[in-house]
Amino acid sequence: MKFLIAIGSKEYSEPTLRLGMRVAKAFNAAVTIVYVGEKISAFSTSGVHLAQENLKNWELDRQGVDVLAWAFKYLEDNGYLSTGSAGEGFNIGRLVQTDEDRCEVFLEGNHTQEVRLILRNGDIIEQLRDEVNKRAFDITIIGASNKRSMAHDLIQYIDSSIFVVKNYQPDGQYKMLLAVNDAPNTRKAVKYGARVAQAFDLYTTAVTVSSTTDFRENYKKASAWADKFLRRSGIENEIRLEHGRFMEIMSTIAGDNHIIVMGSSTKSPLAKFFTGSKPLKVMKHCKCPVLIVKE
Amino acid sequence: MLGFSHSFLSNFLFWVTRKRWLIFTFVISLLLFYIPSPTTLTPEGHRTLIIVVIALILIIGEVIPLPAVAILILILEVIFGIDTPNGVAASFMSDAVFFIMGSLMLAVAIVSQGLDKRLALGIIRMTGNRTWRIVFGFVAVSAILSSFIGEHTVAAMMLPVALTLVRNTSEDKAIVHTLAKLLLFSIAYGCAIGSIGTPSGGGRNVIMIGYISEFGLGNISYLDWIKYAYPMLLIEIPIAVLILWVTFRPEQTILDSAVRKLKVNVAKSGKMNGNQIMAIFVFVGVFFGWVFLSPYLGLGIIALIGVFLYLSFGLIEWKDINRNTNWGVIILFGAAISLGMQMKETGAAEWVASQALTGMGNIVEDIGIQRWFISVFLTGILTNFLSNAATVAVLGPIILDMGGNPVILCLTTSIASAFAYLTIVASPTCMIIHSSGLVKSNDYLKAGWKLFIMSMAVLFLVSYLYWPLLS
């Protein structure tokens, strides 16, 4: 599997990197850590490139290199790099320009298969989408953003599962909340959730929400399947069948101490664009990390 | 839905959301096309203005690459019947475009010589280790240098000097964030102030000189420009220092150890080498060429002579120039100037000018103030959202059609287009300091609005009190 972890700064991205790497380790995934710098106006590209080239003569790093160096240090300190990669240290000379606005450092992972550090510039959604499309990532992990359209754009346009690390407290006692229904993505979501729950040893609640008191047969079947799968995986869990508003129930159960895992919406992209979707609402309103699993 | 796959729809929606300005442009241009031409405007003028609207939206939105905007302008000029293909081609290339091309290439050649370390040493020797004196040195040196060699060349050379001083002060960004802003804005605003000093300070100055010459409205020599504009540059330096100091007052009032470390760092580079001496010699030659030969050869050709000398003396390799020159911008400015010419030819510029003056006439009666407001305030605002050269290329013909002294209007417009203090996209220097990651977008407004107002006031005073003494 391939995971993409987007980081923004040393100050705010530590929880994202920490949780992202732990999840990647659980899946034994290859990891790419990407820093996306701000878009450079087309009028200024040559001026900025000229200034950046000149910085090298003064042994100064361009913006973002310090963030990658910090990420490297984190990986090194936490044993995510092989002895060979860690021993060499972070060296700006290893940053290879692969595209006009993309540089990368290739490293060998310890627990994970491989680790890449990437520096890009531009609109974050465009850059993440391009990276995901080119290298077919399974999960994109990113911190929560204050930008209103960010959650929408991530779900709508990034063709991978999305894990938004929102309000994650590294020392917090987390549980897992799985949203289960009869949608095709649910099984994949349960499998992903189970893997994370095993790795983090999380108590899991699988909740099925119906808008009426009358539960459809398919909902009951899906809930029973989830229960069976979780028990077989050795995960301590409870199954809940709730009726009412999906968002309210999820938000109440999740509080701020759950990791929510749910399948992506099966609505058409046009319908999602205009009317939104349940995963989008969960991502916007819940106060904890959310993993939206896509097909 | 309608047989389209989810993947297709998702890609389509992504395209639509990213290209919404392009779609908006298409819709608005269709609407404008079918609106009947005003009786006082020729059909060609009407269509030219449609192209202006299209170009402005696409340039501000940056939804398609800049060369694509340029190509679209040229295509539409022919398709709309504004000019013949040969006429459009002829208006596309001018001395102003040669100058922009030459100055961008000269920038690469000069920056690659490593003269910035000499510059750093010179500034530090002059200013000592007091922060306010260093800031004064940064603003003054950036302003004076950029008046001759262009803003982004100076910004590219000064950026590492500022960042080294910041890093030498402390590695902890929290401790030095105000100092970093102070030094970086000293560079950006110093460069902006300096770009008004001579015609070679910016491509927009050359564009305006080209317009008044092409339209048969007069001529302004390199030295005349200096006589008009340089005093304003000198007045603005202490004002900018004061505004920056008040806005970003740092905790560190003395940069003793940072300056010492910088001196050690610079000393490592040894004595000035032959290439550096030759590079300075060539540039001084170019400068004297601009001063004494530009009436005969043009500013652009002289800049290209400089590039030729740098290349033929082996001071720079073509691949370096090719890699670091923004060819898209050159093509766009060529197309923008061509559009400016067509605005004049078709009467579109005159029509917009008369409409603007009529509109302004409802607010103030004095025609002089009306002209001043349009040429200074409108240019100053637009330059903060558009490239300053593109602003001048589009507004220049309109402003020159407002009547009054064309030389004065040429100068006020060019000078106001340097008031690019308010946004990151206002100029390459603003973007260069932003690329350091140490200044945020709202920092530009913090100091920028004060300098913007002060610059307008200084320009007003200079144009009403000093310039009349020259004519």
Side-chain angles (χ1 to χ4, degrees):
Chain A
M1 292 183 83
K2 291 180 191 170
F3 282 23
L4 179 66
I5 304 176
I7 55 173
S9 69
K10 287 184 264 190
E11 290 80 14
Y12 302 111
S13 294
E14 208 259 331
T16 308
L17 188 57
R18 180 191 283 247
L19 186 57
M21 286 309 297
R22 286 184 69 187
V23 173
K25 187 177 167 185
F27 282 84
N28 190 28
V31 177
T32 296
I33 297 168
V34 61
Y35 170 86
V36 182
E38 285 197 48
K39 189 178 176 182
I40 298 166
S41 158
F43 283 103
S44 308
T45 46
S46 64
V48 172
H49 287 157
L50 201 58
Q52 286 176 346
E53 288 217 351
N54 203 30
L55 289 179
K56 288 181 197 164
N57 300 331
W58 288 71
E59 292 169 8
L60 291 163
D61 296 329
R62 56 185 273 202
Q63 188 195 5
V65 172
D66 58 331
V67 183
L68 291 193
W70 163 77
F72 180 92
K73 182 86 172 52
Y74 178 87
L75 299 177
E76 188 182 29
D77 291 349
N78 291 279
Y80 287 113
L81 296 180
S82 71
T83 322
S85 286
E88 293 164 23
F90 184 78
N91 180 355
I92 181 85
R94 291 167 68 180
L95 204 59
V96 179
Q97 191 91 30
T98 54
D99 208 344
E100 193 183 338
D101 280 323
R102 184 183 186 276
C103 307
E104 80 171 31
V105 180
F106 185 81
L107 303 163
E108 205 176 298
N110 203 356
H111 302 289
T112 57
Q113 296 164 19
E114 64 183 38
V115 180
R116 282 170 206 262
L117 301 176
I118 291 180
L119 191 58
R120 298 185 74 129
N121 272 96
D123 173 78
I124 184 148
I125 294 295
E126 283 178 20
Q127 297 300 316
L128 292 181
R129 183 180 152 89
D130 186 55
E131 200 65 43
V132 168
N133 286 352
K134 278 184 181 156
R135 300 204 49 232
F137 286 98
D138 298 286
I139 299 183
T140 300
I141 300 171
I142 188 168
S145 166
N146 293 329
K147 202 175 158 194
R148 283 174 66 195
S149 61
M150 182 64 109
H152 170 270
D153 287 357
L154 283 168
I155 290 185
Q156 188 85 35
Y157 304 125
I158 306 293
D159 196 16
S160 73
S161 299
I162 305 289
F163 188 17
V164 176
V165 182
K166 195 175 183 183
N167 296 334
Y168 176 66
Q169 304 298 328
D171 302 325
Q173 296 295 312
Y174 279 87
K175 296 173 187 172
M176 175 158 290
L177 178 59
L178 274 171
V180 175
N181 62 19
D182 59 350
N185 288 349
T186 288
R187 290 196 171 203
K188 192 174 173 185
V190 171
K191 286 175 187 170
Y192 272 35
R195 195 105 170 235
V196 176
Q198 279 175 331
F200 289 63
D201 194 20
L202 302 179
Y203 179 81
T204 300
T205 302
V207 62
T208 303
V209 181
S210 170
S211 54
T212 63
T213 50
D214 190 21
F215 278 85
R216 294 211 300 259
E217 198 55 38
N218 284 351
Y219 273 26
K220 288 178 186 168
K221 276 185 186 171
S223 180
W225 179 86
D227 181 35
K228 194 173 161 187
F229 186 88
L230 290 170
R231 274 191 286 110
R232 278 188 181 174
S233 305
I235 295 162
E236 195 184 346
N237 75 94
E238 70 167 321
I239 297 297
R240 289 173 67 165
L241 296 171
E242 301 280 347
H243 63 88
R245 288 173 181 270
F246 178 81
M247 194 43 241
E248 281 171 15
I249 290 167
M250 289 297 286
S251 180
T252 309
I253 299 174
D256 58 2
N257 65 342
H258 280 74
I259 295 175
I260 300 174
V261 179
M262 64 188 296
S264 63
S265 169
T266 51
K267 284 164 126 181
S268 96
L270 268 179
K272 276 193 277 188
F273 184 82
F274 290 111
T275 63
S277 62
K278 284 178 185 171
L280 178 61
K281 284 174 187 158
V282 168
M283 206 182 258
K284 275 185 175 169
H285 299 295
C286 286
K287 298 183 176 101
C288 53
V290 182
L291 170 59
I292 309 292
V293 179
K294 287 190 184 175
E295 269 295 356
Chain B
M1 186 174 282
L2 300 171
F4 295 121
S5 70
H6 280 200
S7 163
F8 173 83
L9 285 174
S10 181
N11 288 337
F12 174 72
L13 285 169
F14 183 72
W15 186 88
V16 168
T17 52
R18 301 292 132 170
K19 302 290 182 188
R20 55 187 180 274
W21 282 105
L22 183 65
I23 296 163
F24 174 73
T25 310
F26 181 72
V27 172
I28 204 93
S29 56
L30 267 185
L31 284 173
L32 290 172
F33 191 82
Y34 286 106
I35 288 174
S37 301
T39 48
T40 48
L41 180 65
T42 62
E44 289 80 12
H46 177 193
R47 281 178 242 139
T48 306
L49 289 180
I50 294 172
I51 303 176
V52 172
V53 171
I54 291 172
L56 284 178
I57 298 173
L58 293 181
I59 291 170
I60 293 173
E62 284 194 22
V63 283
I64 57 173
L66 293 182
V69 180
I71 291 165
L72 182 66
I73 291 171
L74 301 178
I75 292 169
L76 291 179
E77 280 179 0
V78 175
I79 288 178
F80 282 1
I82 295 163
D83 205 345
T84 61
N86 283 337
V88 169
S91 65
F92 177 70
M93 235 348 135
S94 65
D95 187 57
V97 180
F98 280 164
F99 175 79
I100 291 165
M101 186 161 69
S103 61
L104 288 173
M105 292 182 192
L106 280 177
V108 181
I110 293 167
V111 172
S112 68
Q113 306 305 321
L115 288 164
D116 39 9
K117 296 201 172 175
R118 309 277 147 210
L119 193 62
L121 203 57
I123 295 171
I124 295 305
R125 277 188 184 149
M126 196 171 66
T127 61
N129 57 12
R130 287 190 181 278
T131 311
W132 78 265
R133 290 184 62 146
I134 293 173
V135 171
F136 192 92
F138 269 50
V139 175
V141 169
S142 300
I144 291 166
L145 279 182
S146 68
S147 67
F148 300 109
I149 59 176
E151 295 172 72
H152 74 279
T153 319
V154 180
M157 288 164 74
M158 293 290 288
L159 182 72
V161 185
L163 294 182
T164 304
L165 276 176
V166 171
R167 189 182 62 177
N168 289 350
T169 304
S170 173
E171 296 273 354
D172 187 348
K173 281 185 187 171
I175 294 172
V176 290
H177 74 281
T178 314
L179 177 71
K181 285 173 191 172
L182 180 65
L183 294 179
L184 292 171
F185 277 106
S186 301
I187 298 171
Y189 290 170
C191 288
I193 290 166
S195 66
I196 65 173
T198 75
S200 57
R204 58 192 185 277
N205 302 344
V206 183
I207 292 172
M208 279 310 276
I209 290 174
Y211 278 155
I212 57 170
S213 166
E214 285 281 334
F215 301 162
L217 298 170
N219 280 303
I220 179 163
S221 71
Y222 200 92
L223 280 178
D224 282 342
W225 186 291
I226 291 176
K227 272 193 278 183
Y228 277 96
Y230 228 87
M232 177 164 171
L233 181 160
L234 298 174
I235 293 167
E236 285 229 273
I237 290 173
I239 293 173
V241 172
L242 190 66
I243 288 173
L244 286 171
W245 187 259
V246 169
T247 312
F248 303 113
R249 188 186 286 267
E251 287 175 21
Q252 303 82 1
T253 51
I254 294 179
L255 301 179
D256 194 27
S257 71
V259 166
R260 254 186 287 119
K261 285 180 197 167
L262 179 67
K263 280 181 182 169
V264 172
N265 186 351
V266 173
K268 282 183 198 163
S269 57
K271 288 185 175 176
M272 197 178 274
N273 62 37
N275 277 6
Q276 289 175 328
I277 294 167
M278 183 72 89
I280 294 172
F281 188 72
V282 170
F283 188 77
V284 170
V286 169
F287 170 70
F288 280 113
W290 279 332
V291 173
F292 297 112
L293 300 176
S294 57
Y296 316 106
L297 300 179
L299 290 160
I301 290 295
I302 292 168
L304 290 179
I305 290 172
V307 175
F308 168 77
L309 292 175
Y310 275 109
L311 282 167
S312 51
F313 290 162
L315 297 171
I316 181 83
E317 301 222 356
W318 173 252
K319 64 175 168 41
D320 294 324
I321 286 185
N322 189 31
R323 192 178 65 241
N324 288 312
T325 302
N326 196 339
W327 300 105
V329 164
I330 297 168
I331 297 171
L332 180 72
F333 289 158
I337 293 167
S338 165
L339 190 56
M341 296 290 186
Q342 305 300 353
M343 284 172 74
K344 174 73 180 171
E345 292 290 319
T346 57
E350 193 181 351
W351 185 81
V352 175
S354 69
Q355 297 298 313
L357 289 175
T358 308
M360 280 294 298
N362 297 327
I363 304 166
V364 272
E365 282 185 15
D366 188 311
I367 185 82
I369 293 177
Q370 288 174 18
R371 286 192 197 113
W372 195 89
F373 184 85
I374 293 167
S375 74
V376 175
F377 190 75
L378 199 61
T379 307
I381 292 293
L382 200 55
T383 199
N384 280 285
F385 299 97
L386 200 63
S387 137
N388 36 29
T391 302
V392 165
V394 172
L395 286 183
I398 297 169
I399 289 163
L400 292 175
D401 261 334
M402 292 193 305
N405 185 335
V407 171
I408 297 298
L409 287 172
C410 162
L411 283 160
T412 50
T413 307
S414 284
I415 290 172
S417 72
F419 301 165
Y421 313 128
L422 304 174
T423 62
I424 299 163
V425 296
S427 72
T429 50
C430 288
M431 188 56 85
I432 286 171
I433 65 160
H434 182 67
S435 74
S436 68
L438 296 172
V439 290
K440 297 196 174 81
S441 53
N442 57 354
D443 292 327
Y444 289 80
L445 271 180
K446 275 183 198 164
W449 73 268
K450 298 170 200 163
L451 194 55
F452 186 82
I453 289 172
M454 283 307 294
S455 298
M456 299 253 271
V458 172
L459 178 56
F460 185 83
L461 292 174
V462 166
S463 60
Y464 274 83
L465 299 177
Y466 169 63
W467 290 353
L469 303 176
L470 297 175
S471 49

